[in-house]
Amino acid sequence: EPNYAFIGTHNLYLEDSILLCATPEMEFKYSWTAFDQIIENENYIILAAGKYAWVIIPKKKMDSEKEEEQVFDFIRSKIEPT
């Protein structure tokens, strides 16, 4: 059963040991080892944690193409694809 509290807009904080997803009401911490796949297209970077959990990062929220590259490179350095 989906947990709809996690659906919606979140602030994301990419930290060295965790990915923090936060709203004013809650926060959720993912260890980078929770993610097993990175999917990228022209609009999004999608982090998959198993079959039913994803963190979707919209590229339009980034200030520049350079920032997109930096974020993607950081994430890629943290996640070992399976």
Side-chain angles (χ1 to χ4, degrees):
E1 173 111 7
N3 184 341
Y4 294 103
F6 293 106
I7 297 173
T9 302
H10 293 71
N11 290 319
L12 299 179
Y13 303 93
L14 306 174
E15 300 181 4
D16 195 46
S17 60
I18 63 165
L19 171 65
L20 175 64
C21 302
T23 70
E25 295 82 28
M26 63 174 213
E27 65 180 39
F28 192 78
K29 296 176 184 177
Y30 288 97
S31 166
W32 288 111
T33 58
F35 298 103
D36 53 14
Q37 189 176 13
I38 306 167
I39 303 162
E40 182 185 27
N41 64 30
E42 66 181 58
N43 297 311
Y44 302 100
I45 299 171
I46 302 167
L47 310 180
K51 191 173 179 180
Y52 299 107
W54 305 280
V55 173
I56 302 171
I57 304 169
K59 291 181 176 180
K60 68 181 179 182
K61 295 293 184 176
M62 297 182 208
D63 292 331
S64 67
E65 195 171 302
K66 182 176 181 175
E67 184 180 11
E68 280 180 36
E69 290 174 20
Q70 290 172 332
V71 167
F72 188 72
D73 288 346
F74 178 81
I75 291 169
R76 194 173 29 203
S77 76
K78 298 296 180 184
I79 297 175
E80 293 285 330
T82 56

